[in-house]
């Protein structure tokens, strides 16, 4: 008889693939070890990886990996085998994530700064003041029709009813107001 099978542990221990010397005959036994020792493995991996989330991810990856492997025989310490497999998978994930982060960071370094400089900010403030001045210089009815359309998002039909006008008259007022504001602000119509 083999020395391992005559150890001081109970017969039931070796049949379940105990880490002290059992020899699982299939992946099903390694999966059983993973399930049975999950809490212990999670604690050990959390300490090793310094992250309970990384440890849980590593154990999940270990389960998936074990499910996809061909049968493994003669694993003398199944708990140690599963623990080492989880560590290796966690390290592989960290390396993969680090490469992805370094690529993303290098791409970000090449992007231009989107923040306007003080000169552009001051120019934008002046343009807004000019636009509000031009809007306030409009006759009140034209201004109210324009704001009803562009600020409030009302349809031409709603504006026509609210101001007691025909829809076509609202369209004309909006077109004339837009042209007037564009000419005051020095903007050309796109398209």
């Amino acid at each position: 008889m083999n020395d391992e099978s005559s150890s001081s542990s109970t017969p039931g221990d070796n049949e379940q693939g105990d880490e002290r010397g059992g020899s699982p005959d299939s992946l099903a036994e390694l999966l059983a070890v993973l399930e049975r020792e999950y809490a212990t493995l999670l604690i050990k991996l959390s300490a090793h990886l310094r992250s309970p989330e990384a440890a849980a991810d590593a154990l999940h990856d270990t389960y998936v990996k074990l499910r996809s492997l061909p049968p493994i025989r003669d694993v003398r310490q199944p708990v140690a085998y599963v623990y080492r497999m989880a560590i290796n998978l966690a390290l592989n994930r960290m390396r993969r994530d680090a490469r992805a982060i370094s690529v993303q960071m290098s791409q970000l370094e090449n992007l231009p700064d989107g923040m306007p400089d003080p000169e552009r900010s001051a120019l934008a403030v002046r343009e807004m003041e000019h636009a509000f001045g031009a809007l306030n210089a409009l006759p009140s009815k034209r201004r109210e029709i324009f704001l009803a359309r562009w600020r409030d998002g009302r349809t031409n039909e709603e504006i026509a009813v609210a101001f007691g006008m025909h829809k076509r008259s609202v369209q004309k007022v909006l077109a004339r107001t837009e042209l007037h504001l564009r000419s005051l602000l020095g903007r050309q119509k796109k398209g």
Side-chain angles (χ1 to χ4, degrees):
M1 190 173 253
N2 188 335
D3 286 334
E4 288 178 14
S5 63
S6 62
S7 68
S8 63
S9 60
T10 62
D13 288 340
N14 284 336
E15 290 173 1
Q16 292 179 0
D18 182 76
E19 74 175 328
R20 292 177 299 233
S23 175
D25 291 335
S26 71
L27 287 173
E29 291 183 64
L30 284 175
L31 289 167
V33 166
L34 177 61
E35 183 179 336
R36 186 179 69 246
E37 300 294 329
Y38 184 86
T40 305
L41 289 167
L42 185 62
I43 291 168
K44 285 175 150 182
L45 283 169
S46 294
H48 184 84
L49 300 173
R50 297 185 176 127
S51 167
E53 293 83 16
D57 287 344
L59 287 174
H60 177 265
D61 292 347
T62 302
Y63 173 80
V64 171
K65 184 80 168 183
L66 283 172
R67 297 289 296 177
S68 66
L69 288 176
I72 299 174
R73 299 193 184 276
D74 299 327
V75 175
R76 293 184 184 263
Q77 296 180 345
V79 174
Y81 182 90
V82 170
Y83 177 73
R84 190 71 235 168
M85 180 183 237
I87 287 175
N88 289 340
L89 289 170
L91 292 175
N92 289 345
R93 178 185 284 235
M94 287 179 196
R95 287 183 197 115
R96 186 174 55 246
D97 290 348
R99 281 192 301 268
I101 289 171
S102 67
V103 168
Q104 291 171 354
M105 291 303 291
S106 68
Q107 291 172 346
L108 289 176
E109 291 169 356
N110 296 329
L111 289 177
D113 184 11
M115 293 295 296
D117 56 30
E119 184 179 339
R120 292 184 83 187
S121 295
L123 182 61
V125 167
R126 272 188 262 129
E127 282 185 359
M128 287 301 296
E129 289 172 350
H130 189 63
F132 284 128
L135 190 60
N136 287 327
L138 290 172
S140 62
K141 187 173 182 179
R142 279 178 72 182
R143 181 177 56 247
E144 292 304 318
I145 290 171
F146 183 81
L147 291 174
R149 178 71 177 125
W150 299 111
R151 180 192 63 198
D152 303 336
R154 295 171 66 184
T155 65
N156 290 353
E157 293 84 12
E158 292 171 335
I159 296 169
V161 169
F163 286 90
M165 301 170 65
H166 293 292
K167 180 181 165 187
R168 183 70 184 132
S169 297
V170 170
Q171 290 172 337
K172 287 179 182 179
V173 168
L174 287 171
R176 273 186 292 215
T177 304
E178 182 181 347
L179 282 173
H180 176 71
L181 291 174
R182 284 185 185 279
S183 69
L184 286 177
L185 299 174
R187 301 271 171 99
Q188 298 299 317
K189 188 171 182 176
K190 292 179 183 176

